[in-house]
Amino acid sequence: MEKYLRLIKFVRPHIGLLILAAMLMVISSVFDGVAIGIIIPLVDKILAGKEFISIGYTKIPAFLQNTIIYINGLSRGDLLNYIIIWALILTLIKEVLVFLHSYMMVDVAKKTIRDVRNKIYAKLLTLSMDFYHRNKTGVLMSRIVNDTAVIQEAVAEGLTEMIYQPFQFVAYLVMVLAIRNYFSISWRFVFILIVLLPMIIYPIVRIGAKLRKIT
């Protein structure tokens, strides 16, 4: 972890692009939660014929109340068509956001690799001839070209997961609580899920730690 934090220091010059990518990750996570949280009660209306009732109906803005009234007035067939169209639109927007923040993170990774290689090259220029006599050219080239390429995965993949996954977790948690309120699911069932969650995460974290060490 200490080495990874040292690596993050090389990302600081590109913090603006990193923040923009993080903002897109937040928006993308919100789209995930909103899409699932809205589609489930809408499908429930289609299959069971129930009215689409928003949580805290009386406390929401007037335009949302009017939207809910409009949805409740639609036939099942029309509502199904709307769901298909909006599901495609939301998926398209979400995938565009994922592409943009992935592209930005790769750009940050590439620029970070460039900076690291420049520092390594500057360091090599200061070393003595005796150092080059004791170290083979191929080894030094491998350090500059191959070893630094690992940084791209650490930044583009590792840093992305470090930022993106917490936002997704919060979005899904809010969605689960909203669904729980909508369907009046017992808190006991939610508590069981919360207890089981660490039992699922623990082996994943342990395996992930071993894989990182091997890598």
Side-chain angles (χ1 to χ4, degrees):
M1 190 59 159
E2 181 181 353
K3 293 180 180 179
Y4 194 77
L5 292 176
R6 289 177 59 190
L7 172 63
I8 299 301
K9 293 180 181 179
F10 288 98
V11 183
R12 288 179 182 175
H14 318 293
I15 192 66
L17 191 59
L18 182 63
I19 292 175
L20 181 58
M23 292 173 61
L24 293 178
M25 292 179 197
V26 173
I27 299 174
S28 177
S29 300
V30 171
F31 266 90
D32 283 336
V34 169
I36 299 177
I38 291 179
I39 287 177
I40 288 179
L42 288 177
V43 171
D44 189 50
K45 172 176 169 54
I46 293 174
L47 298 178
K50 297 179 180 179
E51 286 193 347
F52 176 69
I53 303 174
S54 175
I55 301 169
Y57 181 87
T58 58
K59 299 179 181 180
I60 63 177
F63 77 94
L64 287 179
Q65 292 188 18
N66 294 332
T67 301
I68 293 171
I69 294 173
Y70 176 75
I71 291 175
N72 287 329
L74 293 173
S75 65
R76 295 186 183 185
D78 291 339
L79 184 57
L80 179 59
N81 292 332
Y82 275 113
I83 289 178
I84 294 173
I85 294 172
W86 278 105
L88 292 174
I89 293 174
L90 291 175
T91 301
L92 177 62
I93 295 174
K94 190 238 178 194
E95 292 304 318
V96 169
L97 293 173
V98 170
F99 168 78
L100 289 175
H101 77 64
S102 298
Y103 178 86
M104 292 178 183
M105 291 303 296
V106 171
D107 190 29
V108 171
K110 292 291 186 182
K111 291 177 179 178
T112 303
I113 292 175
R114 178 199 61 195
D115 296 342
V116 172
R117 285 174 176 167
N118 287 339
K119 284 185 175 293
I120 294 175
Y121 180 70
K123 177 66 176 179
L124 290 176
L125 292 179
T126 64
L127 299 176
S128 64
M129 294 301 296
D130 181 61
F131 171 84
Y132 290 101
H133 179 72
R134 290 182 286 104
N135 293 273
K136 296 181 180 180
T137 303
V139 174
L140 298 178
M141 290 298 296
S142 178
R143 289 282 188 266
I144 297 175
V145 178
N146 297 327
D147 292 356
T148 55
V150 179
I151 296 175
Q152 178 173 344
E153 182 177 354
V155 175
E157 299 293 336
L159 196 57
T160 297
E161 294 300 315
M162 188 182 299
I163 298 173
Y164 192 30
Q165 293 303 328
F167 289 127
Q168 279 201 317
F169 175 78
V170 172
Y172 288 140
L173 180 61
V174 172
M175 177 200 67
V176 168
L177 294 177
I179 294 174
R180 180 264 159 197
N181 289 332
Y182 181 81
F183 291 104
S184 300
I185 299 174
S186 172
W187 278 108
R188 184 177 301 176
F189 179 72
V190 176
F191 177 75
I192 292 174
L193 291 178
I194 295 175
V195 172
L196 291 177
L197 186 62
M199 298 174 63
I200 300 173
I201 294 177
Y202 179 74
I204 295 176
V205 172
R206 289 297 300 273
I207 294 173
K210 291 183 178 180
L211 289 177
R212 284 194 299 272
K213 185 177 181 180
I214 293 172
T215 302

